[in-house]
Amino acid sequence: MDTKAAQYWKANLRLLISLLVIWFVVSYGFGIILADPLNAIRIGGVGLGFWFAQQGSIYVFIVLIFFYAARMNALDREFDVHED
Amino acid sequence: MDLNTITYLVVGATFALYIGIAVWARAGTTGEFYVAGKGVHPVANGMATAADWMSAASFISMAGLIAFNGYGASVFLMGWTGGYVLLALLLAPYLRKFGKFTVPEFIGERFYSQTARLVAVICLILASVTYVIGQMKGIGVAFSRFLETSYEMGLFIGMGIVFIYAVMGGMKGITYTQIAQYVVLIFAYTIPAVFISMNLTGNPIPQLGLIGTMAPGEPGAGMDMMAKLDQVVTDLGFGKYSEQVMGSKLNMFVYTLSLMIGTAGLPHVIIRFFTVPKVKDARSSAGWALIFIAILYTTAPAVGSMARLNLMNTIQTGPVGETTANIEYAKVPEWFKKWEATGLLQYEDKNGDGRIQYYNDKNADMAAKAEGFGWKGNEMVKVDNDIMVLANPEIAGLPNWVIAIVVAGGLAAALSTAAGLLLAIASAVSHDVIKGMINPNISEKAELLASRFSMIGAIALAGYFGLHPPGFAAGTVAIAFGLAAASIFPVLMMGIFNKKVNRAGAIWGMISGIGITMLYVFQHKGIFFIPGTAFLGDMEPDWFFGISPNAFGAVGAVVNFAVAILVSKVTAEPPEHIQHLVEDIRVPKGAGTATGH
């Protein structure tokens, strides 16, 4: 693998890992492990832990995917590996 | 017009629409049959993926699960959506770049082995067939309850409709039909939710109603809806809605993980990402799919909690313990009697007072208190999860046309998922087995014909199991997810992210991943689900760290990863050209149109 391709892949992995950390924190972290303490904070009529488990994590998932798609499109161009 | 006439009209109109689309979107080539010619716009593909993904279980069962499991049911909400993040980041763009027609084809080529391809075909067929049985059952039930036909007749009509558009149109027909089905099912789900949220909380947006306060005129007006619900259920000895867990926190963690990686490993979902024109479309299409899915999934917690509150308030009309606060059986609403007739709701007047007492008699404190009231046990002996969504419009007193749309929505959810699964099975048989292994020189025309016959075979098989549901039908969805999580997802991911994983590693990884998952399920639920053959009990204390068999797929996946990497370390590296192939799929450049060779 030449260095440019290796750099592209490294940049991709860096992005992937940071997004997967967020993915893990909002669902397993806020929604399950830390749900009880977070429930002390209220969002409307429900606890924050409950809200992340049944609403918030899903919204964050959507943002993560679109952010990844946009960042990767930019990376594709930067490293000149885009289609067409 | 009475309910039956309206239901016939609405369901008939949606079926006519699906058939019309089928005629318009006939498939002329194998490329169109397997992957819709790779010309589907990412937003359209996202919508079709959403319909493909949301089955009868999402539409009918999930809100019921949430209603009775409260916070514990979050595993389904996070598990069945979080998998799309894994798909978009770890699989979809690379598999699209690879540019072939099926999942086993990728596994066969990346691991340079027909054996690996065959193992993948077997995993795919097992996972998809077990999944499709549930859909067929859903179709039969919806017809028999609402159209007053027999279960068999309902099943045959459903099979006939799928037959027309799936056999004629293949992936192309299925994709455009699924878009129509998505529209039908999302309206069917959200309209009653809006009405109910409006009635209970005064807020027409269910996602806000969930965190809102009770509307004036409702019991507990001005109080937080969730606090009111917690109070109503705990007063009757049930678990506190907003805090009750499913098993344990560890079980919830592992269960969520199994559902997420199972979602990302289900072949009928993955092949949807082969249909978009470009690699970058595969990335964004997963996001669109999740938006369309999230509309239903973020509404479901509101539907579940409000349905539970409505149900409790219908039966317990005042303070617990006051004699007149329990509804008289003679005065129950019509929907109650209708669902009693189906056997999904059962009432037994244990203390002979003609009123209904619905409480948790397994809670010792509550049972003691209840004795003091002269109650002789919980009289709602059966409240099936599955009735919540279907009965919801009736419980809330909504007009007949809303009920008719809900029926059409349930059928759309079941039909769209069944068609997607059947295509995954048919393409594995015709493309991977017939073309890939038996007769590589088969002509395009002959392969197209073979794929249509495989589809007919798959529909017949699914119909047979729908008519004669095997004893394990209840455990099937768990198996489908367990299999996909423990076998397909790990090899796909390693195939892309680890160049050194070789043929032997992949094959042994898949076999040990599935093996341990099946063993765990069988030891607690019976060998091939035959009652009495389980050699360990199926209760929480018997489970490994309290992990339920349904949640074990994540452990199987970890075993798969570990075995594959270890075996690959002690055997020969993959050949040079395979390592180049992996480098090539990692960059989008040069994706072009897909080929079947």
Side-chain angles (χ1 to χ4, degrees), chain A residues 12 31-32 45 55 81 83-84, chain B residues 71 94 211 249 279 298 589:
Chain A
N12 178 20
I32 299 177
Q55 300 274 308
V81 292
E83 295 151 282
D84 334 301
Chain B
Y71 165 72
Y94 310 105
I211 59 171
K249 281 281 175 91
V279 172
T298 55
K589 201 170 195 164

Side-chain angles (χ1 to χ4, degrees), chain B residues 16-307:
Chain B
L17 175 67
Y18 306 153
I19 293 171
I21 293 170
V23 174
W24 169 72
R26 279 185 311 275
T29 62
T30 51
E32 284 182 351
F33 194 90
Y34 292 133
V35 292
K38 304 235 170 200
V40 182
H41 188 274
V43 179
N45 185 56
M47 207 179 260
T49 310
D52 203 334
W53 172 240
M54 292 190 287
S55 60
S58 292
F59 190 91
I60 297 171
S61 308
M62 195 173 62
L65 282 169
I66 299 170
F68 295 105
N69 292 292
Y71 165 72
S74 308
V75 298
F76 303 109
L77 293 162
M78 291 188 284
W80 285 335
T81 52
Y84 280 86
V85 178
L86 300 179
L87 255 177
L89 272 54
L90 303 176
L91 301 182
Y94 310 105
L95 295 178
R96 173 61 192 86
K97 170 67 198 294
F98 182 68
K100 296 296 167 70
F101 287 165
T102 68
V103 172
E105 193 174 13
F106 172 79
I107 293 176
E109 217 153 297
R110 163 63 182 81
F111 298 107
Y112 46 100
S113 160
Q114 289 287 69
T115 316
R117 190 172 184 177
L118 187 66
V119 173
V121 168
I122 294 169
C123 295
L124 181 153
I125 290 179
L126 278 176
S128 304
V129 169
T130 48
Y131 207 139
V132 88
I133 297 170
Q135 307 306 316
M136 297 319 252
K137 222 183 123 212
I139 295 169
V141 170
F143 266 101
S144 55
R145 162 67 180 84
F146 288 98
L147 300 175
E148 291 174 2
T149 59
S150 66
Y151 173 85
E152 288 78 16
M153 190 64 197
L155 194 62
F156 285 131
I157 297 172
M159 281 166 67
I161 299 289
V162 175
F163 177 88
I164 293 171
Y165 69 79
V167 174
M168 251 167 109
M171 185 58 119
K172 197 174 161 201
I174 289 173
T175 301
Y176 291 106
T177 319
Q178 280 171 336
I179 293 170
Q181 286 163 332
Y182 176 79
V183 175
V184 172
L185 83 85
I186 204 67
F187 273 106
Y189 203 85
T190 47
I191 290 173
V194 167
F195 275 111
I196 292 166
S197 177
M198 190 72 199
N199 285 346
L200 269 182
T201 66
N203 196 323
I205 299 168
Q207 287 83 347
L208 297 178
L210 177 71
I211 59 171
T213 51
M214 299 298 291
E218 288 293 325
M223 213 176 149
D224 287 333
M225 196 279 291
M226 189 53 65
K228 177 70 191 160
L229 176 57
D230 277 342
Q231 181 209 329
V232 167
V233 293
T234 47
D235 277 355
L236 290 163
F238 294 103
K240 190 173 175 189
Y241 186 91
S242 62
E243 286 173 15
Q244 65 187 119
V245 294
M246 196 177 264
S248 62
K249 281 281 175 91
L250 175 68
N251 184 52
M252 285 179 69
F253 186 102
V254 181
Y255 206 152
T256 307
L257 190 60
S258 291
L259 294 179
M260 282 193 190
I261 52 189
T263 301
L266 279 175
H268 73 286
V269 177
I270 298 175
I271 54 174
R272 288 239 51 104
F273 296 95
F274 298 172
T275 67
V276 294
K278 289 177 178 180
V279 172
K280 70 176 205 201
D281 298 330
R283 293 180 190 134
S284 67
S285 195
W288 287 107
L290 191 54
I291 286 187
F292 294 122
I293 292 168
I295 296 175
L296 190 147
Y297 272 59
T298 55
T299 305
V303 172
S305 55
M306 292 174 191

Side-chain angles (χ1 to χ4, degrees), chain B residues 42 72 108 124 150 154 158 174 183 219 237 301 339 358 380 422 461 463:
Chain B
L124 181 153
S150 66
I174 289 173
V183 175
W339 284 98
Y358 180 32
M380 295 296 292
L422 291 167
L461 183 75

